[in-house]
Amino acid sequence: QVQLVESGGGSVQSGGSLRLSCAFSGDTFRIRSMGWFRQAPGKEREGVATICRNGGTIYADSVKGRFTISQDNAKNTLSLQMNSLAPEDTALYFCAAAEFFGCTLSSVVFPYWGQGTQVTVSS
């Protein structure tokens, strides 16, 4: 099993920045890729960014150029730097880990999930 714990959420004004962190532990040798997902009220969960086994990254079109995903294996930490935040970024953000060797924003290949951290952006 892999355990994931998110932190860093909060409330900011439009145009502001936040940095989310995810501490992962347990059977970390199972992890091949990691990602950030979000779910707004009344909407389906969507992929935000993924970092792959080879270090490659994938971003949702809505966050390209504003968000940056990074991973520090020495510290067992996944991060998401979010800049130029907008009200439409308001959601519960989840960290996830996959044993999948590919690279995708699809949540179906991610079996390990954190509890989520709330991000609220006001206009």
Side-chain angles (χ1 to χ4, degrees):
Q1 286 293 327
V2 174
Q3 293 80 45
L4 304 167
V5 179
E6 303 94 338
S7 61
S11 297
V12 295
Q13 290 191 330
S14 182
S17 298
L18 280 174
R19 186 176 182 87
L20 304 183
S21 293
C22 172
F24 52 92
S25 59
D27 296 339
T28 59
F29 63 90
R30 297 179 180 276
I31 297 174
R32 300 291 181 265
S33 61
M34 299 194 73
W36 287 98
F37 296 79
R38 67 186 181 186
Q39 188 166 17
K43 295 187 177 181
E44 293 188 355
R45 188 173 298 187
E46 64 171 344
V48 174
T50 296
I51 187 163
C52 319
R53 178 74 168 177
N54 63 0
T57 55
I58 300 177
Y59 293 93
D61 288 344
S62 59
V63 306
K64 281 181 181 177
R66 300 190 298 124
F67 291 12
T68 303
I69 188 172
S70 59
Q71 184 172 346
D72 185 339
N73 288 322
K75 297 182 178 179
N76 281 6
T77 302
L78 180 74
S79 299
L80 185 69
Q81 177 66 43
M82 306 186 294
N83 299 327
S84 301
L85 284 162
E88 51 265 37
D89 295 316
T90 294
L92 186 62
Y93 282 71
F94 298 90
C95 169
E99 300 181 31
F100 181 60
F101 273 93
C103 205
T104 178
L105 285 174
S106 173
S107 62
V108 297
V109 305
F110 288 83
Y112 308 110
W113 293 83
Q115 294 299 307
T117 185
Q118 179 67 38
V119 172
T120 302
V121 185
S122 58
S123 57

